[in-house]
Amino acid sequence: LLVEYLPSIVITAANFLVPTLCELLAQLEGYSPTTQVILALLRSVFLRFASLGVLLFSLWSQITCSGNTETQECQSCQYNYRLYQCWETRVGQEMYKLTIFDFLTVIAVTLLVEFPRRMIVDHCSCKLAQWLGRQEFVVPQNVLSLVYGQTVVWAGALFCPLLPLINTVKFIIFFYCKKVTLFQNCRPASRTFRSSSSNLFFLLVLLLGLVLACVPLVFGLAAIHPSWACGPFRSLPQMWAVVSVSNASLPPSAQDFLRFLGSQAFAVPLFVILCVALCYVAALASVYGQSVSLLRAQMQLVSVNLSRGGACKGLLLTSDL
């Protein structure tokens, strides 16, 4: 039992410990505060996605015999039937374990680390406790934790359909736990991360997580034979074959409509319309930006005129006196 849960435990423990080590390492390297935050975030992102990628790659190599279906283990069923009779279930179980362990880690840190630390700092006057202080609430690390959880859900939603619902409940509980610990147990971060650059950074990280999650989904849909023992696709050579089978069962008019949606006659005009809409939105944003700049300049002129008018009134009053 421990061996089955060991990968999830190791990955969750690494996701919890290594970001702190990355922050300490960035401080020892002597960079500026902004560079330290960026380096710590990049290392945390690489760690989280690399650990998830290694887990998915190890599952793929075990299920497909490292891509060689001609071996003795994979020759009869096109996958390792002896090791994984229902490989879809095993992949879903691994993603489910990661989600549950991530949830348990956050709850344990809140109850067993942040709350006792706050109690010690508030009620103990020793120098060590005062030097440590309360736990810093680092917004970027918490956002990366949410991105990691969403990536796990994307990777396992096909194999564990209830995983999005579980993750939604987990995020709701996370929100209230983080809210309580922010106001009761934590202090503001000493190093801030600019919101203008953080929005783009987090969106890029989320996009990277989506790309990483799409890789096992594509392989599962198009490259790996479904399990013969379980699942709704066991009678098909690939999961993607259900699309062609379902398309063949549709009426001729519906089939013609779907073919039209996939043809160049529909794709080219759609691409042109999207390009025109994109150019329009970009031009509109540029006009709005210029308007904002003009309004700011006018506000500065008004403030300067008001300050000069106040100074002139003061001079007139002093001259009258």
Side-chain angles (χ1 to χ4, degrees):
L1 182 63
L2 180 61
V3 175
E4 293 183 358
Y5 284 91
L6 189 59
S8 302
I9 294 174
V10 172
I11 291 175
T12 305
N15 292 336
F16 171 67
L17 295 175
V18 176
T20 304
L21 298 178
C22 291
E23 292 181 1
L24 296 176
L25 181 62
Q27 293 178 4
L28 294 176
E29 289 173 344
Y31 294 108
S32 62
T34 304
T35 307
Q36 291 179 12
V37 174
I38 294 174
L39 286 177
L41 290 178
L42 291 177
R43 289 165 179 168
S44 299
V45 170
F46 177 78
L47 165 74
R48 292 176 182 272
F49 287 165
S51 60
L52 183 59
V54 169
L55 176 62
L56 294 173
F57 179 78
S58 63
L59 289 174
W60 171 81
S61 61
Q62 293 176 5
I63 293 170
T64 63
C65 302
S66 299
N68 186 12
T69 57
E70 300 298 328
T71 58
Q72 183 179 0
E73 293 82 4
C74 298
Q75 187 175 8
S76 58
C77 298
Q78 303 300 313
Y79 66 94
N80 196 339
Y81 179 80
R82 298 178 182 177
L83 188 60
Y84 300 109
Q85 295 184 0
C86 295
W87 63 266
E88 299 94 341
T89 302
R90 182 56 185 271
V91 175
Q93 287 175 350
E94 292 297 331
M95 299 300 106
Y96 173 77
K97 293 174 188 176
L98 289 177
T99 302
I100 295 300
F101 276 109
D102 185 48
F103 171 75
L104 295 178
T105 301
V106 172
I107 299 299
V109 169
T110 302
L111 297 178
L112 303 179
V113 177
E114 295 177 353
F115 178 71
R117 181 173 176 176
R118 192 262 294 183
M119 296 295 293
I120 293 173
V121 171
D122 292 348
H123 297 87
C124 182
S125 59
C126 61
K127 293 183 179 180
L128 180 60
Q130 299 303 320
W131 176 75
L132 287 175
R134 292 191 177 188
Q135 177 73 31
E136 288 188 0
F137 190 84
V138 184
V139 175
Q141 292 292 349
N142 287 278
V143 175
L144 290 182
S145 178
L146 298 179
V147 172
Y148 167 76
Q150 186 61 47
T151 304
V152 172
V153 171
W154 282 334
L158 177 64
F159 311 104
C160 184
L162 290 179
L163 197 59
L165 178 61
I166 296 172
N167 194 65
T168 302
V169 176
K170 185 189 78 170
F171 279 174
I172 294 174
I173 298 175
F174 273 10
F175 172 77
Y176 288 102
C177 288
K178 294 295 182 180
K179 180 181 178 181
V180 171
T181 192
L182 171 62
F183 290 106
Q184 301 296 330
N185 302 328
C186 296
R187 58 187 171 91
S190 58
R191 294 169 297 174
T192 58
F193 197 61
R194 293 182 302 176
S195 60
S196 59
S197 58
S198 62
N199 292 333
L200 179 60
F201 175 76
F202 292 137
L203 289 176
L204 290 176
V205 172
L206 191 62
L207 178 61
L208 180 61
L210 179 61
V211 173
L212 177 63
C214 286
V215 173
L217 294 180
V218 171
F219 271 94
L221 288 172
I224 306 177
H225 195 287
S227 299
W228 291 96
C230 60
F233 309 103
R234 55 181 177 269
S235 60
L236 300 173
Q238 288 88 23
M239 294 183 187
W240 185 255
V242 71
V243 177
S244 59
V245 173
S246 301
N247 187 29
S249 62
L250 293 175
S253 58
Q255 295 183 20
D256 295 337
F257 177 72
L258 293 177
R259 291 193 189 96
F260 171 73
L261 292 180
S263 64
Q264 297 179 356
F266 177 78
V268 173
L270 179 63
F271 178 75
V272 173
I273 293 173
L274 290 178
C275 290
V276 172
L278 181 62
C279 293
Y280 172 76
V281 172
L284 196 63
S286 177
V287 172
Y288 285 158
Q290 293 177 1
S291 301
V292 170
S293 300
L294 290 175
L295 289 175
R296 287 178 178 174
Q298 291 178 1
M299 291 177 63
Q300 291 178 357
L301 289 175
V302 170
S303 62
V304 170
N305 292 331
L306 289 176
S307 61
R308 289 179 179 177
C312 292
K313 289 181 180 179
L315 291 175
L316 290 175
L317 290 175
T318 54
S319 62
D320 293 338
L321 293 175

